[in-house]
Each structure stands twice: as structure tokens, then as C-alpha cells.
Amino acid sequence: MIADAHLNDVGSGSRIIEFKGVTKVYGKGYATVEALRGVDLSIDEGEFVAIMGPSGSGKSTCMNILGCLDMPTAGTYMFRDVDVGGLTRNQRALLRRHYQGFIFQGYNLLSRTSALENVELPLLYRGAGAHERRDRAMEALETVGLKGWESHTPGELSGGQQQRVAIARAIVTGPAVLLADEPTGNLDTARSREIMDVLTDLNREGGITIVMITHEPDMAVYAKRQVHFRDGLVESDALNGGAR
Amino acid sequence: MLWNTVLLALREIRRNVMRSFLTILGIVIGVGAVITMVTIGGGATLQVQQQISSMGSNLLMVSPGKRLGPGQSSGNVAFKEADAEAIIREISSIAAVAPVSSQSIQAIFGNQNWTTQVTGSDNQYFHVTNRTVGTGRQFSESELRAGAAVCIIGDTVRKKLFGGQDVLGEKIRLQKLSCEVIGLLEGKGQSSMGMDQDDVVVVPLRTLQRRITGNQDVGLIQVSVQQGASTDKAQQDIAKLMRERRHLAPSDDDNFHVMDMKEISKMLTGTTELLTALLSAVAAVSLLVGGIGIMNIMLVSVTERTREIGVRLAIGAMEREVLMQFLVEAVVLSSLGGLIGIVLALVSSVWLAGVLRVPFVFNGPIVFVSFLFSAAVGMIFGYFPALKAARLDPIEALRHE
Ligand SMILES: Nc1ncnc2c1ncn2[C@@H]1O[C@H](COP(=O)(O)OP(=O)(O)O)[C@@H](O)[C@H]1O
Ligand SMILES: [Mg+2]
């Protein structure tokens, strides 16, 4: 596969994500919206970054581009040594499959499907055998503290548990980076803190790079670094001095 | 991966059993109908062929008018008994000739009655049609000459009129004629398309002519060609003789028709084959309708599962993998319909064959082709919905509803 050969050059330097002058314009003619207006942003391996900012400031747009689900209108996006702008739709799918994990605000689990099967899903696309899928999915569920819940369907789980299944699904393939768009947006504070603890552990012990959107300062403090967006631009970018 | 996709598809189908069933109902009915039609049609054709071969391949039928069957002109000149006598006398390759006239008449015995085919002929009739009188006897010379009130009955008539009772010597009534049963035909045990060969009463030709039809006409001359002699030659000889006897000028067309078994067989099987083809075509259309049903439900399914598709694309599914998933689902669904249709068809074919009294002949190729066809229907009608799923924008899909 050409795509795979190409992606073998992704490497594992210390810089994992680099945005240079990334802009994103939606629509055409008079109805255009400039969601991103020249964003420069670099993230190193092993960082835990919280992206904050008011509604409509371009956080989700930025996340979609990070996750190769969308392409910048202008500017370059380097994922490790790969220029994402030069990839085809299929190559971007493969990049997501092998290097990125996604967590959504609304969990997005498959309904009427057991937790185990939900977590196995990404492995299915990696061609893993039934045994390997099962073992790795069980391991991932254990990591997020859901041992014993594997046969429950999303409908039988609480919101916090569902989000932990979603995290297990995102990490089961051992991705380089975890992308989370408001992962605690639907949860109460106690449940949110549990999720943040899981993410912090993954970042500290697993060494996984995490980029997380949140509008809650309480959650942002779990990250090592906070990037604030305003009107499609990075307004501030600072390390959390000794937070937590 | 493909096997996993099939398992995934089966799980998806199980999740919505009722809807899946309704979706494939069109395919089930289509496949079921096609196979049933072809199987029953094949059985009927085989039966006709068997019957014809049981009559012997050396049989010729001479009938008035240009052709036997529909389109017969009304101004036919009927044969007389003398025509039959001339054939056996003039043509050396002929083994036996039987002049035959028939009429449908109600036969009555006691308080039982049964409408049957009353055939007037002579003892040659049994020879030519390959039948034997099982119990009792054939007609005597004097009975034939005098047109005596005697008859030989088929097994169906015996059952309907007499039940288990002894029949020889009893008298049955045919219109005003009361005639004595002197023999019982050996059963043929076959019937074709409601034509029961044991449903017959044979009387001397003269008896029928004088007491029932009231004329000297012979409806049909059945001819048996000698073993080893050419039926084609005999056919030509008979035609030549008949033209002479009927004083036809060289420019005139034949006003009679000599048919051999090939032609009779073609005529009889031709009808069943045409019918089978027509019914199968109707059934095939229902398969197409079934395909549209599958497309419809697959489109609904793609819309319903937009978020799921978004998730799959986000976690790294490629376009063709999503396409495959939905295509496989459609094909599994329609193949399942095909399988159910096949089972249904076999059950209903066996049952129908019993009811219609035709042999059940398992037709492997049509079962196989129907199955392939049902899978192909899923493939064709599932492609568009699957493509729609694969082309979804993951961001839009994740944001759906
Ligand atoms: N698909 C789209 N089409 C048009 N405009 C869009 C689209 N997605 C986002 N936008 C616009 O881009 C801007 C940034 O949106 P978004 O990135 O979702 O902000 P945030 O996530 O920070 O709330 C908003 O003004 C929004 O209306
Ligand atoms: Mg947003």
C-alpha cells in the first residue's frame, strides 16, 4: 500500500504537530466565514494541551484539522514529518487509524453494541485477529477502570462510563496522540474529574500526547499547557505553572 | 476482514429482525415464485413426455382440418370408417388402425353420476394406444358389427361410479343408452394437466355413432406403424392416400393433418413451456421489485446510522471499507432472502406437485441461478446506498441529528 509506505516515514521526533499559518474559510462569495485566520501552533510528543476559548472561536475547526478530518484552506500542517496537506482522503484515514485516537463530547458509541465490541472496532480496521482484538480491548477497558463492564451496552452505562468506553476505544490501538473535543461537556463535575484523572494517567504513564478542547477552566488545569483561541487566532499560549 | 464484515452484517440484520424480514420479503417471494414455476413446469413437461413415450413412438394421428388445436376451421370434412379401413388395406407398413370418435357424456350408475369421455372405436384402439383390458374382455366381432350396448371402462370411472363394487355385468347409462360393462382397462396411472387417461368409457364405434352422436363421422384415425418401418414414409403414404380419397387437386392444400409423436409432443410440451416462461417472467419482475425494496431500506439504514459511519471514518475506516460494509450487508440480506425463497419454493413445489399430480423434479441449475440472482440484486441495489455512506463527510456525519 502506497499510503502505508508513505506513513512509515512519519517518524517519532519530538515535534508531533506543527501548524504554520493555518487558515480555514467556510463557504463562498459573501457568505464566507473565516474560522481560522492564520494559526501557528506546535505541540511536542508527550504534551497535554488544553485548548480554550469562547464559542465560535475556531476550537473545533482546529481540532478537525488536527484529526485530518478536514483540510486547511491555506497554511501547512505537519504531523511528525508528514505534510498532511499532501495526503489523499485514504491516506488521511490511514494516518488516523495508526496514529490518532478520538474522543467526542457525545461519546459516539455504537448503540446496542457491547462495550467490548465498541472498543474492538478500531482493531477491526487494523486487521487484528479475534483473539488479539479481545485481549487488547479487555486491557484497554481495564486501563479506564471498566473491568467487568465489557458486556454492557451503552444504554446500560452511565455517561461517565460511556465516555470511559470511548477513551478505551481511542487508546486501544496505541495512538501517538489523543484528540478530545469537550470530553467532559456532557458530564457533572465529579464524573468530569474521573475522566480527567484517566486522561492524566494516560499522559503521564502512557506517554500519550493529548490535545483537549474544554471551556471549563477547572478541567483545563489538568493539562500542562493552555492555548486560548479568540476569533480564529491563538490569543495566548502558556504552561500551567505548577498546576496540580 | 471480509468474514468479519459478513459477521458484522449478520449482527446488523439480527438487530432489526422484523425490518430485515420485511425488506427481503420481495426477494423471498420472487425467488420462491421463480423456482416453483420452473419446477412445476418442468414436472408437467416431463409428464407429458412420459405419457407420449408410453404411447409408443410409432403412433400417427390423422385428423380432419389443417391442424389439430386452436384455429381449426369449421368446414372440416370428417373421416368415415372406410377411410380407416383404406389405410390398413392400402399401406403395407401399417400395423393397426383405430377409427376414434369421442364425446363428453354423463355416465350414471345407481345414484352415482360422473361426466367422462365416451370413446367409440374397435379392438384396434387398445393396440394402438398401448392399453390392455385388465379384467373382462374386449369387444366381440358381432358386438362391433351390431353396435351392441356394451362398454369397457377406465379405472377412474370405476372408482367414481362403483367404488369397491364388482363391475362386470353391471349396466351403466350413457344418455338414453344403457350398456353392460364387459371389461375394465388396465390403469395408466398418469394424468397430464387435468387430463386423466383412466377417465374414459370405450364403446364400439357403431354404438357411439348410432346411439349417441347420430352420425357416421370419425373424429380421428389413430395409426400404429409397424415396428422398424419408417413413420415418415407412412406419414407421406397416408397423406397421399387421403388426398386421393378426398379428390384434392394438386393445387389444393391438405384438408386433414397427419401428426407424428414428435409433433404431438411439441404441441403439448410447447404449451406448458410457454406458460412456464410467462409465469417465470412475472416472478422475475417481483425479484426486481424486491431489489428496490432493499435499496429503499438500505438508504434508510445509511441515514439512521450516519453517526456510526462518522465514527468509523473518524477512527480510520477507508471509503472502500465503509462501502464494503454496506454492500456486504445488502448482499447478505438479499442472499438470505434467496435462501429462504429456495426453501419455501422446494416446500411449495413438493406440495403443488402433489396437488396437481405432476412429478416433482428438483431443478438444481434454477435453484443455483436464482440464488446468484438474489445476491446480484443485493449487489446492484445496495451499491448506491453503500456509495452514499462511503462518501459521507466524517465531520458532518458526526454532527448528525
Ligand atoms: N461547516 C461549517 N460551515 C460554515 N461555517 C462553519 C462550519 N463549521 C464551523 N463554522 C463556523 O466557524 C466558526 C468557528 O467554529 P468552531 O470551530 O466550531 O468554533 P468553536 O468550536 O470554538 O465553538 C464559527 O463561526 C462557526 O459558525
Ligand atoms: Mg466546538
Side-chain angles (χ1 to χ4, degrees):
Chain A
M1 272 202 282
I2 303 164
D4 273 337
H6 189 96
L7 292 174
N8 281 341
D9 304 333
V10 167
S12 56
S14 68
R15 177 66 44 87
I16 185 164
I17 283 163
E18 177 138 35
F19 270 25
K20 273 205 190 112
V22 168
T23 67
K24 181 70 193 181
V25 181
Y26 288 113
K28 284 196 180 100
Y30 293 109
T32 55
V33 178
E34 264 192 295
L36 296 179
R37 300 188 297 149
V39 172
D40 295 318
L41 179 67
S42 346
I43 297 171
D44 289 342
E45 304 270 2
E47 277 201 89
F48 186 167
V49 183
I51 293 182
M52 304 192 65
S55 178
S57 58
K59 305 183 298 288
S60 291
T61 304
C62 176
M63 189 60 101
N64 289 338
I65 294 175
L66 277 175
C68 307
L69 295 170
D70 210 348
M71 299 290 269
T73 309
T76 55
Y77 167 26
M78 298 294 288
F79 185 84
R80 289 188 175 162
D81 300 330
V82 173
D83 182 358
V84 176
L87 301 182
T88 64
R89 186 169 146 122
N90 273 343
Q91 286 170 327
R92 280 183 279 135
L94 288 172
L95 193 147
R96 287 198 294 277
R97 177 185 301 187
H98 290 282
Y99 298 100
Q100 301 182 331
F102 287 86
I103 304 165
F104 311 96
Q105 178 176 355
Y107 326 132
N108 278 330
L109 300 175
L110 304 194
S111 57
R112 283 175 288 176
T113 305
S114 74
L116 185 70
E117 283 173 314
N118 264 293
V119 177
E120 281 183 2
L121 193 65
L123 295 172
L124 211 63
Y125 288 107
R126 296 187 50 163
H131 272 291
E132 188 194 341
R133 282 208 306 271
R134 205 190 132 78
D135 292 349
R136 288 178 68 172
M138 291 296 273
E139 203 181 310
L141 281 170
E142 203 177 331
T143 307
V144 298
L146 281 180
K147 196 175 157 89
W149 292 88
E150 54 272 357
S151 59
H152 288 69
T153 60
E156 298 162 357
L157 297 171
S158 72
Q161 286 172 320
Q162 286 187 57
Q163 192 59 299
R164 278 190 277 165
V165 174
I167 294 174
R169 181 178 64 189
I171 61 166
V172 74
T173 56
V177 62
L178 213 54
L179 304 170
D181 193 344
E182 305 206 29
T184 59
N186 287 3
L187 301 173
D188 61 40
T189 309
R191 247 30 75 193
S192 296
R193 290 195 181 284
E194 280 173 26
I195 294 297
M196 292 318 299
D197 285 335
V198 170
L199 291 180
T200 309
D201 277 356
L202 285 170
N203 175 250
R204 288 224 184 105
E205 268 104 70
I208 303 176
T209 310
I210 297 178
V211 182
M212 174 188 77
I213 294 178
T214 182
H215 57 256
E216 298 165 273
D218 284 354
M219 301 306 137
V221 295
Y222 283 83
K224 295 176 192 161
R225 175 182 166 196
Q226 292 187 12
V227 176
H228 283 260
F229 273 67
R230 182 173 292 278
D231 297 334
L233 284 169
V234 175
E235 181 191 48
S236 72
D237 185 345
L239 293 179
N240 272 350
R244 266 192 62 102
Chain B
M1 187 73 202
L2 186 67
W3 180 236
N4 281 333
T5 316
V6 171
L7 289 181
L8 215 76
L10 282 173
R11 203 169 69 195
E12 207 50 55
I13 290 164
R14 251 209 333 266
R15 191 172 292 176
N16 239 321
V17 178
M18 189 61 188
R19 189 168 85 183
S20 300
F21 178 72
L22 290 175
T23 306
I24 61 177
L25 202 58
I27 301 280
V28 171
I29 293 172
V31 166
V34 168
I35 298 178
T36 308
M37 293 304 158
V38 173
T39 305
I40 294 296
T45 305
L46 178 80
Q47 185 182 42
V48 170
Q49 281 164 351
Q50 277 172 350
Q51 266 162 17
I52 287 162
S53 67
S54 82
M55 285 191 256
S57 61
N58 54 350
L59 186 71
L60 295 178
M61 283 195 191
V62 190
S63 54
K66 286 200 168 78
R67 290 193 63 91
L68 197 66
Q72 215 167 9
S73 59
S74 55
N76 288 336
V77 185
F79 295 117
K80 300 290 178 214
E81 212 178 336
D83 290 312
E85 283 160 9
I87 290 174
I88 189 92
R89 194 175 59 237
E90 305 278 333
I91 302 167
S92 55
S93 62
I94 303 300
V97 172
V100 177
S101 271
S102 304
Q103 190 163 324
S104 187
I105 288 174
Q106 194 179 56
I108 301 169
F109 175 75
N111 55 5
Q112 300 294 313
N113 68 72
W114 178 246
T115 301
T116 183
Q117 196 71 17
V118 176
T119 295
S121 193
D122 55 28
N123 288 329
Q124 296 299 316
Y125 172 79
F126 306 112
H127 183 148
V128 171
T129 56
N130 228 347
R131 310 202 61 155
T132 49
V133 178
T135 28
R137 58 175 179 84
Q138 297 191 343
F139 304 116
S140 72
E141 272 308 310
S142 59
E143 280 166 351
L144 286 167
R145 222 173 315 123
V150 289
C151 63
I152 298 167
I153 63 173
D155 204 44
T156 303
V157 178
R158 178 190 65 77
K159 276 188 219 142
K160 294 291 179 189
L161 292 185
F162 297 94
Q165 191 183 331
D166 238 17
V167 297
L168 293 186
E170 297 292 344
K171 292 205 161 151
I172 62 173
R173 256 162 43 83
L174 304 167
Q175 289 180 352
K176 277 170 280 173
L177 172 72
S178 168
C179 68
E180 183 187 341
V181 179
I182 59 164
L184 189 60
L185 282 173
E186 199 85 62
K188 275 260 180 184
Q190 288 166 354
S191 67
S192 82
M193 336 234 78
M195 216 178 73
D196 180 356
Q197 296 190 87
D198 292 326
D199 188 6
V200 69
V201 172
V202 187
V203 299
L205 180 62
R206 276 209 189 135
T207 313
L208 184 88
Q209 287 174 333
R210 283 188 197 153
R211 315 285 290 269
I212 292 166
T213 62
N215 59 43
Q216 300 289 302
D217 293 352
V218 169
L220 185 74
I221 301 174
Q222 297 201 0
V223 179
S224 174
V225 181
Q226 272 175 11
Q227 217 64 52
S230 156
T231 51
D232 285 351
K233 176 78 170 45
Q235 212 172 347
Q236 285 162 17
D237 290 344
I238 293 169
K240 201 164 140 244
L241 179 67
M242 285 299 137
R243 286 185 71 88
E244 273 169 30
R245 289 182 65 84
R246 295 179 157 228
H247 310 292
L248 294 179
S251 60
D252 291 343
D253 286 335
D254 290 349
N255 60 1
F256 59 90
H257 189 66
V258 188
M259 280 199 299
D260 63 0
M261 279 339 276
K262 270 183 293 196
E263 206 173 328
I264 296 168
S265 157
K266 221 164 49 205
M267 191 187 80
L268 290 177
T269 56
T271 317
T272 57
E273 272 161 16
L274 182 72
L275 223 88
T276 306
L278 277 176
L279 291 173
S280 305
V282 171
V285 169
S286 76
L287 260 182
L288 219 70
V289 175
I292 294 168
I294 288 202
M295 175 143 86
N296 188 14
I297 291 298
M298 288 308 292
L299 281 173
V300 170
S301 176
V302 166
T303 307
E304 272 183 5
R305 288 155 67 190
T306 299
R307 264 157 87 93
E308 174 193 327
I309 296 164
V311 171
R312 288 175 184 276
L313 290 169
I315 64 174
M318 286 192 281
E319 250 180 66
R320 65 177 144 87
E321 287 165 332
V322 173
L323 182 93
M324 268 308 264
Q325 185 196 335
F326 281 87
L327 204 54
V328 164
E329 204 171 306
V331 171
V332 166
L333 209 58
S334 64
S335 307
L336 212 66
L339 282 180
I340 298 173
I342 287 170
V343 171
L344 213 71
L346 292 182
V347 171
S348 66
S349 296
V350 168
W351 175 74
L352 257 179
V355 169
L356 297 175
R357 292 198 282 167
V358 301
F360 168 77
V361 190
F362 177 76
N363 188 332
I366 198 71
V367 169
F368 184 67
V369 166
S370 301
F371 180 72
L372 282 191
F373 200 83
S374 66
V377 162
M379 187 93 76
I380 293 163
F381 288 95
Y383 188 78
F384 174 64
L387 196 67
K388 194 181 159 199
R391 292 272 166 86
L392 282 178
D393 173 18
I395 300 168
E396 303 263 311
L398 283 167
R399 216 186 275 144
H400 189 255
E401 63 176 15

